[in-house]
Amino acid sequence: MSIQRQRRPATQADVAREVGVSRTLVSFAFRGAAGVSDETKQAIFDAARRLGYRHNAAAAALASKQRTAVGLYLLDLRNEVFSDVLNGVRLALPQARNRLILSVSRSIGGEDQGAVDSLIEARVGIIIAATLLDPDDRVRELAQIVPVVSVTRRVEGVDSVYPDDRAGARAAVEHLLELGHTRIAHLAGPHIDGHTVRRETYERMMRAAGLTPQTVAADDFTQEAAERVAGQLLGGPDRPTAVFTHNDQFALGVRETAYAMGLTIPGDLSLVGYDDSRTARLHGIDLTSVDLHAVELGKIAGSVALERLNDPAAPIADRCITPQLVVRNSTARCRR
């Protein structure tokens, strides 16, 4: 006797694939939420009928409660800029409605899909990501699974909240040029989508000034990665008189290496970081740094996330804020 295999019931994911939209948009259409056009809603309902999908209102109600949670992906909590983003996100989220679920990656080794997967498995309604190291295409693919707000990095086609890195890097390099430095080096991060603007701006400004760029790239974004290459940066016969680094963690790595080599800051070496972390402001460190306003970035990202949850069909958010150079005691006029 043959047994006929029972056909798997159609799901919202099947309907989403049929129409070419996100599963979240299908869910909103069946719930009658705002933000779904009449044309898209009709296409979803027609596809549901063709596939034999039956909407379960009780399950949808349960899912809708779960999907109000906001996932926050942080690259590395050892870097204070990410804890500042966390504080900003907390300020933006109403405590009574939206749970915040945190997942922290480790920047060593680059991509960490596991940290993102844990948020998807937690059934969050949206992910605020500060900062994904995946290529832009993979970030856009992730945003098809669950909406994403990219923080500190602009990704075309994805809600993004980020600093104007061209303006920030330009302010840093102009400051060193005005102090008379001509041998200015840059300690860059790995060559990753969305993380090259500071390097590109530095190199363009050096050439525009008739100077030769000197760029050394670390293999990660941590202080330890900076220390691994800082000796190469400072040990040559034409040692730079100033260094502009991709972030404050790098600046601290250069600082430690410089002191180990018997150099003084700013006497022998002027140093400019990027982030304006709390460590940069400590007495005795007094690091000149570009303030990217991390808490404000987090607040804006939290607001964008809530807007996206309320209206999944809203236009893509593109929020850029202008950084500010904060001059402290790690930079001085060039003495040689």
Side-chain angles (χ1 to χ4, degrees), residues 61-73:
L62 177 60
S64 69
K65 292 178 183 177
Q66 294 172 329
R67 296 287 177 163
T68 62
V70 175
L72 177 59
Y73 168 96

Side-chain angles (χ1 to χ4, degrees), residues 168-191:
R170 186 166 56 245
V173 178
E174 284 177 348
H175 172 63
L176 293 172
L177 290 172
E178 290 169 357
L179 291 173
H181 294 279
T182 56
R183 295 205 299 277
I184 304 170
H186 178 57
L187 181 51
H191 198 279

Side-chain angles (χ1 to χ4, degrees), residues 202-214:
Y202 154 80
E203 292 178 347
R204 184 170 59 251
M205 291 191 65
M206 290 290 285
R207 294 189 184 101
L211 303 172
T212 302
Q214 182 184 353

